[in-house]
Amino acid sequence: MAENTQLEFLWSRIKERAEKLINTISFSSFIEDLVPVDVVNKKIVLKASTEVVAKTVTQHHLEQLREAAQSADVGIVGVVIVVDGSDTYTLEEAPDAFEESSVVLDPRYTFDSFVVGPSNKFVYAAAKSVAEAPGENFNPLYIYGGTGLGKTHLMQAIANEIAKKKPSLKVIYTTSEKFLNEYVDSMYAKKSAGTDNEFRFRNRYRNVDVLIIDDIQFWAGKYGVQEAFFHTFNELFSQHKQIVISSDCPAKELTTLEERLRTRFEGGLIADIQPPDLETKIAILKRKALEKKYIVPDDVLAFLVKNSDNNVRTLEGRLNTVIFASKLHEEPISLKLAGIALQESIGNDEEQEEITPETIIKATCAYYSVTKADLIGKSKRQELVRARQVCVYLLCNMLALPLVSIGKIMGGRDHATIIYARDKITELMRVNDAISKGVTDIRSSVLKQ
């Protein structure tokens, strides 16, 4: 694989030319965040974050990227788009018509399977109320909270409940990324057989009884799709149709969303999901274990929770590791097995100090021998940039904080910068042992404090 610095140089030269060939909306939505990962047969390999992004770039912008690569005069003759977990995309003809598709609901996401505790009792009740009487209670419903706290579970639970108890209602659950992709298709895909793709897009989203959109912070700075949703929102709201939205931060903190959108969100019910307390974490793990047909001793559950962060996905990952170890060694689940499987000391019964942003920053500074001022500062020195990105990754994964809040903690950086840093370290950990070791060592240091 080519050196990262060389890859980034090549991609920056190509991007300069691509920006002149591709419309602003598409460039900021799909091209800007592509990551160069290799050069093969004089073609630069660019990684997309999701299959939706990869497909959109491949179908609509591959020729323009190829032209940009050749005009950059850096020895690159073509472009290949890849995505984690998928095959390489090759050049395809753009579709003749806008294709409608929905995000498939997970039947496991129900209100019954959602573990309720003090941290989420209010938002759970609000979601249940909306599902029971769509359009009548709390419209719009705006749910926000950090990563891995259950926002998507509740959003899909609303859709599943309405589909089950009110099958005559038309419900669409989608992600903000999928909505954006369809919007771009409607604007730039070719018309076929006299069909107006823009009209089909409007008709799809404005003729529903319930519209549920997950993770709208993805629209930050993307004003074309914000305009489209603004008109969709007004149309549905005027007909008393239910709208449910989720984000990783309060509406007032989405400063890159238009003011008129934020005020509409704030006109309904805003409900947040807080990190779960100790008892709720244990209840969540117990529920997950039973779903997998395992009974986990209480002391093991307490151990899994004590040494973990607030992210429910992380908790489940730790549980899965212990269950796998039990299968592998053909041993019953025990405290000793859990400690060995997770390579953590069982330790004593002393109460572990609460993990805070400051403890993570302090541990990162100690590991990389830098000061806090340098870590959150503006220096572009490579060693400081990497330490800063690692710190962002740990803040995102060890604390259930909105990305906007993490940006403020890290010197007032914007939402997009935090996402880039988090995803960059996620990518590097797969191929760079030094980065992976650094993350593991800093995490262990934080947990032992």
Side-chain angles (χ1 to χ4, degrees), residues 298-422:
D298 289 343
D299 60 346
V300 175
L301 292 175
F303 169 71
L304 294 176
V305 166
K306 181 179 177 182
N307 286 8
S308 183
D309 50 55
N310 293 317
N311 190 317
V312 174
R313 296 191 191 103
T314 303
L315 282 172
E316 186 173 7
R318 290 167 63 79
L319 174 65
N320 289 338
T321 300
V322 173
I323 288 175
F324 177 77
S326 174
K327 291 179 179 177
L328 181 65
H329 299 293
E330 298 182 346
E331 293 181 21
I333 293 176
S334 65
L335 193 56
K336 180 180 178 181
L337 177 70
I340 293 172
L342 296 169
Q343 297 183 337
E344 295 174 9
S345 171
I346 296 173
N348 54 38
D349 294 331
E350 293 180 7
E351 191 68 26
Q352 181 184 358
E353 291 185 20
E354 180 184 3
I355 299 172
T356 65
E358 192 60 35
T359 59
I360 294 173
I361 290 173
K362 183 179 178 181
T364 306
C365 289
Y367 185 85
Y368 287 106
S369 300
V370 299
T371 66
K372 179 180 177 181
D374 284 337
L375 187 73
I376 67 174
K378 305 298 183 184
S379 172
K380 300 294 185 182
R381 282 165 44 203
Q382 183 61 31
E383 63 270 23
L384 288 177
V385 170
R386 190 65 75 229
R388 194 175 296 139
Q389 290 173 336
V390 167
C391 190
V392 167
Y393 174 87
L394 289 165
L395 287 169
C396 290
N397 283 272
M398 297 188 74
L399 297 173
L401 292 175
L403 298 182
V404 172
S405 299
I406 293 174
K408 290 179 181 177
I409 291 166
M410 292 300 293
R413 287 176 163 79
D414 61 28
H415 184 271
T417 302
I418 298 303
I419 291 175
Y420 175 82
R422 179 197 65 191

Side-chain angles (χ1 to χ4, degrees), residues 113-132:
S113 64
F114 188 85
V115 178
V116 182
S119 62
N120 57 32
K121 183 165 59 175
F122 177 79
V123 68
Y124 173 84
K128 200 122 195 282
S129 178
V130 163
E132 290 168 356

Side-chain angles (χ1 to χ4, degrees), residues 109-111 114-115 119-120 123-124 127 141-159 173-174 212-217 244-250 271-275 311-313 399-403 422:
Y109 288 157
T110 66
F111 288 115
F114 188 85
V115 178
S119 62
N120 57 32
V123 68
Y124 173 84
L141 173 61
Y142 183 103
I143 298 173
Y144 75 93
T147 301
L149 296 184
K151 296 189 301 294
T152 295
H153 188 140
L154 279 180
M155 300 280 278
Q156 293 206 22
I158 293 172
Y173 165 85
T174 191
I212 304 172
I213 301 186
D214 216 349
D215 286 330
I216 62 162
Q217 73 274 357
V244 185
I245 309 149
S246 82
S247 174
D248 69 353
C249 63
D272 68 325
I273 303 181
Q274 294 292 329
N311 190 317
V312 174
R313 296 191 191 103
L399 297 173
L401 292 175
L403 298 182
R422 179 197 65 191

